Amino acid sequence: MRIDRQPDGSFLLSEVDPPFDHVLRSIPACADTADNDAASGRIYPNPVSGKGSGELCNEWREFVEPELRHLFEDAMATVEADLEQLSEVNTTVAVPARHVDAWLNALNQARLALAARFEITEEDLDRRPRQIETERDFAVFEIDFFAFIQENLLQEP
Amino acid sequence: MTETTTVTESKTDAALSVPWNVVVHNDPINLMSYVTMVFKRVFGFSADKARKHMLEVHQAGRSILWTGERERAEFYVQQLHSFLLLATMERAGE
């Protein structure tokens, strides 16, 4: 798979062959926090800790978290729509410049939720060579792969 | 004769006037380049200042990004959460 920045700030993800097309399409599932408290706690952390923080945290849950949830869902919907370009005959995804922030957000959701769900540590990410034998190993691969895309999207022209 | 007016600051007023720190905590999953970008975007930092705070988060585990009134601190924490950074607010000096 290749990622190339275009002069207008857009990106082309090309040569998205199997299994990378499948991994890209799994971004929403990777980011899903519905069934996992650790993932949910990481995507929606408390804004304050310690003594007397209860009231602020309760207000945060009521007023701020729904806005964040909406923002994250919007970002994911943008990425899902872009990935609709992929088909049996088309292995290229064009990401307009105005969608780059959504991609960065959605990829980060996926990476953080995966890391929380599988308790991935810095040592897991540094370990070489990679072996994919378990679901947890595959989660590390996905975190790495999504990071590769993020790093490319973050590069200055 | 001069009139003297005594103003009593209520406990609530005193609490509201205490400055708050906006703190970002380390998360090894977040890319350093991403964290730097977020600091530039949210706080308007130069590249050098953003990188300095990113390295402090990375090496010390946390960095105080801003200090000031509570409402503004809440705004910044919300912004940082929207970028999925681990951010909290705390009373300055605690």
Side-chain angles (χ1 to χ4, degrees):
Chain A
M1 194 181 97
R2 291 173 54 103
I3 304 176
D4 295 294
R5 186 184 195 100
Q6 306 303 294
D8 64 355
S10 65
F11 286 85
L12 280 182
L13 280 62
S14 56
E15 300 171 26
V16 184
D17 299 315
F20 297 113
D21 59 340
H22 174 76
V23 177
L24 285 176
R25 288 199 175 97
S26 74
I27 291 172
C30 292
D32 189 8
T33 62
D35 63 343
N36 190 279
D37 288 345
S40 179
R42 177 54 190 89
I43 300 300
Y44 302 103
N46 284 326
V48 66
S49 58
K51 184 172 65 170
S53 63
E55 185 182 340
L56 176 55
C57 288
N58 289 339
E59 287 180 359
W60 198 267
R61 293 271 168 271
E62 185 176 353
F63 297 111
V64 176
E65 196 172 298
E67 288 190 22
L68 292 174
R69 199 172 292 276
H70 187 69
L71 178 85
F72 296 157
E73 288 169 357
D74 271 359
M76 198 59 73
T78 297
V79 169
E80 285 182 282
D82 283 346
L83 290 173
E84 288 293 315
Q85 297 170 53
L86 288 174
S87 70
E88 282 184 10
V89 297
N90 179 41
T91 59
T92 297
V93 180
V95 179
R98 66 184 183 280
H99 288 186
V100 170
D101 279 354
W103 273 79
L104 288 171
N105 191 287
L107 288 165
N108 223 36
Q109 289 180 54
R111 298 181 70 240
L112 292 169
L114 281 170
R117 187 178 303 127
F118 289 96
E119 297 178 14
I120 305 295
T121 65
E122 201 163 1
E123 290 70 33
D124 290 321
L125 297 176
D126 290 341
R127 193 171 298 127
R128 295 285 187 278
R130 288 268 189 265
Q131 287 180 340
I132 302 178
E133 296 174 344
T134 64
E135 198 179 355
R136 190 172 185 275
D137 291 340
F138 191 68
V140 173
F141 162 74
E142 288 174 308
I143 290 170
D144 254 1
F145 177 62
F146 297 152
F148 162 73
I149 302 174
Q150 276 191 306
E151 290 280 19
N152 275 272
L153 295 179
L154 284 165
Q155 279 183 6
E156 301 283 336
Chain B
M1 188 167 118
T2 307
E3 286 190 13
T4 302
T5 306
T6 302
V7 176
T8 304
E9 191 177 30
S10 69
K11 195 173 177 185
T12 304
D13 290 340
L16 287 173
S17 66
V18 172
W20 288 73
N21 292 330
V22 172
V23 183
V24 171
H25 305 265
N26 188 42
D27 183 330
I29 304 301
N30 273 324
L31 299 175
M32 293 164 81
S33 54
Y34 181 80
V35 173
T36 303
M37 181 277 288
V38 172
F39 289 170
K40 287 164 66 178
R41 188 86 64 93
V42 172
F43 297 101
F45 289 167
S46 67
D48 281 348
K49 187 171 181 179
R51 182 173 166 76
K52 171 183 159 286
H53 279 283
M54 177 277 293
L55 287 173
E56 187 173 34
V57 172
H58 182 66
Q59 292 162 359
R62 53 176 270 156
S63 178
I64 296 173
L65 275 295
W66 182 89
T67 301
E69 58 165 5
R70 175 174 161 157
E71 254 189 59
R72 192 80 186 161
E74 288 178 8
F75 169 77
Y76 280 136
V77 171
Q78 180 176 354
Q79 289 289 297
L80 293 166
H81 281 199
S82 77
F83 284 99
L84 296 150
L85 264 57
L86 268 178
T88 58
M89 48 191 284
E90 63 187 30
R91 286 186 177 85
E94 281 191 357

